[in-house]
Amino acid sequence: MATIAIDMDGVMADSTQQYIDWYAARYGVKVEKATLLGKPETTGFPLEGVVRQFLYTPGFFRTKPVIEGAQEVIKALQDKHEVYIVSAAMEFPQSLSEKLAWLEEYFPFISWHNIVFCGYKNIVDADYMIDDHIKNLSAFKGQPLLFTAPHNVNVEGFKRVNTWEEVGQLLL
Ligand SMILES: [Mg+2]
């Protein structure tokens, strides 16, 4: 049995798809995911800066699509391990209540006891941390697992998981 800290945005919730969908709805341009590969998160869209503003817009965190396999694998992980959802929610003021409501809708099997909304993740102590940003993984003392996202495809030096299926293969 291990303790596993799981990030939300870019790991459980599909931030990239949400950027693309919101951009298309507001600016009428459907950006291909492939054009965002290797670019810093929220950049790579025709109008620079506007996607960053989505993060401050009510509803953005509440309506993100779930990343494929996250529900099934996290439910299974709970039977074998101690699972905590660890999300840096403090940066975006409205995101905290939206993230909690999102978890209640899509992950009702996760108790509030296992949800940690925080600022920096440096304080987090666990055996594994699954995250899409190395800023969260670099100071981690356990085994970091970099969850593949368009913005991190060129990052090297971290053990990588590309899908929830791969997380299941590793930890179940
Ligand atoms: Mg993230």
Side-chain angles (χ1 to χ4, degrees):
M1 165 138 137
T3 306
I4 306 170
I6 303 175
D7 175 38
M8 286 179 73
D9 298 314
V11 174
M12 298 168 71
D14 196 337
S15 304
T16 305
Q17 195 56 54
Q18 185 79 325
Y19 299 143
I20 291 171
D21 292 347
W22 272 44
Y23 194 91
R26 283 155 185 78
Y27 301 99
V29 179
K30 176 120 172 57
V31 172
E32 291 297 324
K33 206 171 266 190
T35 67
L36 304 175
L37 294 179
K39 295 180 180 156
E41 191 167 355
T42 74
T43 71
F45 290 80
L47 288 170
E48 287 296 343
V50 299
V51 172
R52 176 89 190 156
Q53 287 308 310
F54 294 165
L55 303 176
Y56 299 92
T57 307
F60 181 77
F61 289 93
R62 181 64 186 88
T63 57
K64 286 188 180 182
V66 180
I67 289 185
E68 193 189 342
Q71 288 155 309
E72 298 80 355
V73 175
I74 290 174
K75 200 167 199 318
L77 285 173
Q78 282 188 326
D79 296 334
K80 268 189 97 162
H81 303 290
E82 205 162 325
V83 174
Y84 289 90
I85 308 308
V86 180
S87 179
M90 307 318 295
E91 191 177 358
F92 307 105
Q94 92 289 354
S95 78
L96 198 147
S97 58
E98 293 194 7
K99 284 180 171 188
L100 189 57
W102 187 89
L103 283 172
E104 280 166 357
E105 178 175 354
Y106 297 109
F107 295 82
F109 48 86
I110 297 173
S111 156
W112 64 266
H113 295 103
N114 294 67
I115 299 171
V116 180
F117 288 155
C118 59
Y120 279 139
K121 296 188 183 180
N122 305 17
I123 190 98
V124 176
D125 184 16
D127 298 309
Y128 294 90
M129 178 182 276
I130 307 173
D131 205 292
D132 62 317
H133 277 286
I134 55 168
K135 68 179 177 194
N136 297 322
L137 295 172
S138 359
F140 184 62
K141 293 179 187 69
Q143 167 69 62
L145 297 173
L146 180 65
F147 198 92
T148 296
H151 65 83
N152 71 28
V153 292
N154 297 326
V155 170
E156 286 172 8
F158 285 86
K159 188 172 172 61
R160 193 179 270 281
V161 280
N162 294 298
T163 60
W164 275 100
E165 194 185 350
E166 286 187 24
V167 174
Q169 285 162 2
L170 193 68
L171 298 173
L172 287 175

